[in-house]
Amino acid sequence: MTTGRTAGHGPLAGVRVVELAGIGPGPFAGMLLADLGADVVRVDRPGGSALAIDPAHDVTNRNKRSVIVDLKAPDGPARVLDLAARADVLIEGNRPGVAERLGVGPGDCHARNPRLVYGRMTGWGQDGPLAHRAGHDVSYIAVTGALGMIGTPDRPPPVPANLLGDYAGGSLYLVVGVLAALHHARVNGTGQVVDAAIVDGTAHLSAMIHGMLSAGGWQDRRAANLLDGGCPYYGTYETADGGYMAVGALEPQFYDAFVDLLGLEDLREARTDWTRWGELREAVAARFRSRTRDEWTARFEGSDACVAPVLSLREAPHHPHLAARGTFTDHGGITQPAPAPRFSATPTAVRTGPARPGADTPEVARDWDIPELVTDRVKTPAETAAGTPAEAHATTIETTPAPTAATASVTPSVTTPVTTSATTPVKDFPHRGD
């Protein structure tokens, strides 16, 4: 594994990752790796993404560093290949074939670094009839059957933000694949391509449901099953003030505590009698509508009834349990989820705020020993907006070659002064997050 020269925190400290900037699941996967301690360098394009938010608030770019490379400029691909040659992992989210056309596909990168793990994040995958078609989270989860399981039968399936497809079926599977391939590369000395498709990951998430369907324990329709809102003691209910309570009292002992605290002891036997589920649902709904959300929260406090208030994004950080665990943190004035999971020996943290496009170019050039990143530097968005020539920011930096797995024992330490400039024209290239 490449040993990075930048101090890190977390179990992936020393792992180097190149992220070709995109939207959605790719940046989130990069954030996960960065949160775990990897040195993630995001290669931003001139002009940014059409769907990007203000870079100062893009939490998915925290703990990363950024350089700007125009992949359509003559020397653009060479700069990315220089990064790939020194990296352990590269992740990209273009449509199949785009990276190859730009000269930074797996073949080009592996020619420079055979140990590289090349992670590809797409919606439809690298092959198949839809591989080259556009799509987004909702498109992908729709064809996997996952979207069709959500909601009530009398209304269209509700969209679960982009959490289910982009991040659960996409980012998490890309990271699992990358880490597995990284382990293989360390053991066997060879890298490989990881084809992470949102349709594959989302379908995989439904493995248990497919098993239940095969066994006759799941009906292939919405709100008719134990875990999809069909069961009256596994769902959500409105309260007197327009809030909601979530109920998950599946097991007998939890159900008994639930109906006791609701004052519905006479409906204990309805748990296993599905012919009475309509009666049970109406009674539970009527009881929840009799008090406010906060009153019901207090009522169920300290019990094992598996009942919790449904909180908003702004309310969640103040929940007593989440506050006690530090599930959310504040960095640079932005309240955000803290890195997860937690490690006893190699703790993680939000070390830096969102990387600003191109702001870390001199440091990356020094730490990764790629002085050309600076001499070929494209202006940052701030410089472009101010009308400031990149040459006006010329800086002399010292670059010390960082050892890679292949050169750590033979590369001498040398110091080279580099004067920065940027003459590369700003062009666009096709990035897409999913």
Side-chain angles (χ1 to χ4, degrees), residues 53-295:
I53 65 173
D54 178 354
H57 294 270
D58 191 348
V59 172
T60 62
N61 285 329
R62 71 187 185 190
N63 290 335
K64 301 178 185 177
R65 299 191 286 179
S66 170
V67 300
I68 293 179
V69 175
D70 184 354
L71 274 173
K72 285 190 173 180
D75 293 334
R79 298 294 78 79
V80 171
L81 293 178
D82 287 341
L83 288 165
R86 294 158 172 80
D88 299 291
V89 176
L90 183 147
I91 57 177
E92 60 95 13
N94 294 289
R95 295 196 204 194
V98 170
E100 286 84 348
R101 291 196 299 271
L102 292 170
V104 294
D108 302 292
C109 290
H110 283 142
R112 293 286 301 273
N113 180 1
R115 298 172 61 94
L116 182 72
V117 173
Y118 196 104
R120 315 198 79 166
M121 182 75 261
T122 61
W124 303 115
Q126 295 299 308
D127 53 32
L130 296 177
H132 294 276
R133 299 281 71 82
H136 277 293
D137 175 287
V138 69
S139 318
Y140 312 134
I141 67 174
V143 301
T144 65
L147 182 60
M149 291 193 292
I150 303 173
T152 57
D154 58 334
R155 298 180 62 84
V159 179
N162 67 327
L163 302 179
L164 176 57
D166 276 355
Y167 300 139
S171 304
L172 293 180
Y173 278 86
L174 175 62
V175 170
V176 169
V178 161
L179 294 180
L182 184 60
H183 172 71
H184 178 270
R186 295 186 68 183
V187 173
N188 298 284
T190 56
Q192 60 184 301
V193 176
V194 177
D195 174 6
I198 294 173
V199 290
D200 296 346
T202 305
H204 192 261
L205 289 171
S206 65
M208 182 191 75
I209 304 298
H210 277 278
M212 296 174 69
L213 183 66
S214 175
W218 189 274
Q219 299 182 58
D220 197 9
R221 56 192 180 92
R222 286 182 286 152
N225 301 283
L226 187 65
L227 303 175
D228 65 355
C231 172
Y233 44 91
Y234 196 89
T236 56
Y237 291 91
E238 187 174 5
T239 57
D241 57 344
Y244 297 91
M245 298 295 289
V247 177
L250 291 175
E251 291 80 4
Q253 67 272 29
F254 304 149
Y255 176 82
D256 288 347
F258 169 61
V259 292
D260 286 351
L261 288 168
L262 281 179
L264 298 175
E265 298 90 341
D266 57 327
L267 290 173
R268 281 192 179 184
E269 301 305 317
R271 174 181 171 273
T272 55
D273 184 358
W274 65 268
T275 63
R276 299 183 63 189
W277 277 12
E279 173 194 358
L280 176 59
R281 187 186 306 278
E282 291 180 4
V284 171
R287 192 55 56 92
F288 271 119
R289 286 195 297 267
S290 69
R291 299 185 186 182
T292 67
R293 188 189 69 177
D294 288 348
E295 289 173 333

Side-chain angles (χ1 to χ4, degrees), residues 286-342:
R287 192 55 56 92
F288 271 119
R289 286 195 297 267
S290 69
R291 299 185 186 182
T292 67
R293 188 189 69 177
D294 288 348
E295 289 173 333
W296 282 118
T297 300
R299 174 67 171 166
F300 285 99
E301 180 72 24
S303 76
D304 276 344
C306 302
V307 177
V310 178
L311 303 182
S312 70
L313 290 173
R314 294 192 184 279
E315 290 175 317
H318 305 289
H319 185 276
H321 180 78
L322 304 188
R325 283 185 57 81
T327 299
F328 291 86
T329 187
D330 185 281
H331 190 280
I334 302 175
T335 300
Q336 56 196 280
R342 306 181 185 199

